[in-house]
Amino acid sequence: MEALIGVYLLTTGIKGALKLMNWMGLKTVPKTDIMAFNPNNGFPVLPTRLPSSTIDETQNEEQGHALMQLYSGLELFEKRLCYTFKNKALLVEALTHASYLPNRITNCYQRLEFLGDAVLDYLVTRFYFDNPCQYSPAILTDLRSAMVNNETFAIIAVRNRFHLYLKHLSLNLNAILDRFIRAQEENGHLFMHNVST
């Protein structure tokens, strides 16, 4: 989840990252504010250049071919997001777990996750800080922790079937995913976004 937010931030800027978060159900900014968003009003202006570690599929024919093999099947993921990535390497990177050794083209998602995590922390902090309730610092910390945690993101990811596109070779991760999905189904938490694959 955080890696995808990082990708959107890099490719579409803060407005795109906010739109994705809104679509995921992480509504830290009202939809009308996203459309009229001005980066100079309270948010830092962030660079939109792509990281140098990410390859351009047109640079090297062999790498481009390998990248397109890694990308194969992710067209459905793009369709689910209603967004087509210009740089397919960023999408592959966002969905590559460290255990997926066949990907020798991009990094795993951890660097993008780091970026997305920072964006989330800032936006959620700002959202609750600006709330008219004027929460105390202790309550602000609890609210942020409740909204920005792995279980919340896992539920959103599984509801939207993002886990089906994760590239990994970890039996342990597979077992954890299976247990988590079963628990969510038993608790009725997967009904909200029951979209066909």
Side-chain angles (χ1 to χ4, degrees):
M1 294 280 294
E2 289 123 325
L4 280 174
I5 292 166
V7 168
Y8 267 72
L9 177 68
L10 288 172
T11 57
T12 64
I14 192 73
K15 194 182 272 191
L18 288 169
K19 283 183 183 178
L20 175 69
M21 289 169 59
N22 191 58
W23 180 85
M24 288 176 170
L26 302 168
K27 300 179 187 331
T28 58
V29 178
K31 199 170 185 176
T32 53
D33 289 356
I34 293 171
M35 301 313 290
F37 179 73
N38 177 352
N40 297 321
N41 291 340
F43 291 96
V45 178
L46 298 168
T48 56
R49 76 175 171 78
L50 297 177
S52 57
S53 65
T54 304
I55 66 152
D56 177 357
E57 55 265 33
T58 60
Q59 279 180 340
N60 175 318
E61 193 174 320
E62 189 178 317
Q63 280 189 327
H65 180 69
L67 175 64
M68 293 320 285
Q69 285 183 319
L70 291 166
Y71 169 75
S72 180
L74 296 182
E75 307 90 345
L76 297 171
F77 185 76
E78 289 181 315
K79 194 182 234 184
R80 180 169 293 285
L81 290 176
C82 301
Y83 180 81
T84 302
F85 287 81
K86 290 181 186 130
N87 189 326
K88 305 302 185 196
L90 282 171
L91 177 59
V92 169
E93 185 174 336
L95 294 171
T96 298
H97 185 263
S99 67
Y100 196 70
L101 299 178
N103 181 358
R104 297 179 186 277
I105 303 297
T106 71
N107 294 320
C108 70
Y109 59 69
Q110 291 170 331
R111 283 180 51 84
L112 291 171
E113 179 185 18
F114 175 78
L115 180 62
D117 189 46
V119 171
L120 273 169
D121 271 352
Y122 173 74
L123 290 172
V124 169
T125 299
R126 183 69 189 259
F127 176 76
Y128 286 119
F129 182 82
D130 290 342
N131 191 294
C133 294
Q134 297 285 304
Y135 297 117
S136 72
I139 291 175
L140 287 171
T141 301
D142 290 345
L143 287 169
R144 182 178 60 199
S145 294
M147 189 164 181
V148 183
N149 70 59
N150 287 339
E151 187 167 347
T152 301
F153 293 152
I155 290 169
I156 293 169
V158 168
R159 279 184 188 167
N160 288 289
R161 293 188 169 87
F162 291 176
H163 63 288
L164 299 176
Y165 303 96
L166 182 64
K167 295 180 177 297
H168 72 90
L169 292 174
S170 169
L171 294 176
N172 189 36
L173 179 59
N174 221 35
I176 291 168
L177 278 169
D178 287 345
R179 272 195 313 271
F180 182 80
I181 292 166
R182 246 181 286 116
Q184 295 309 307
E185 287 171 343
E186 288 168 8
N187 292 321
H189 291 163
L190 298 182
F191 69 91
M192 291 176 70
H193 288 274
N194 195 6
V195 207
S196 62
T197 303

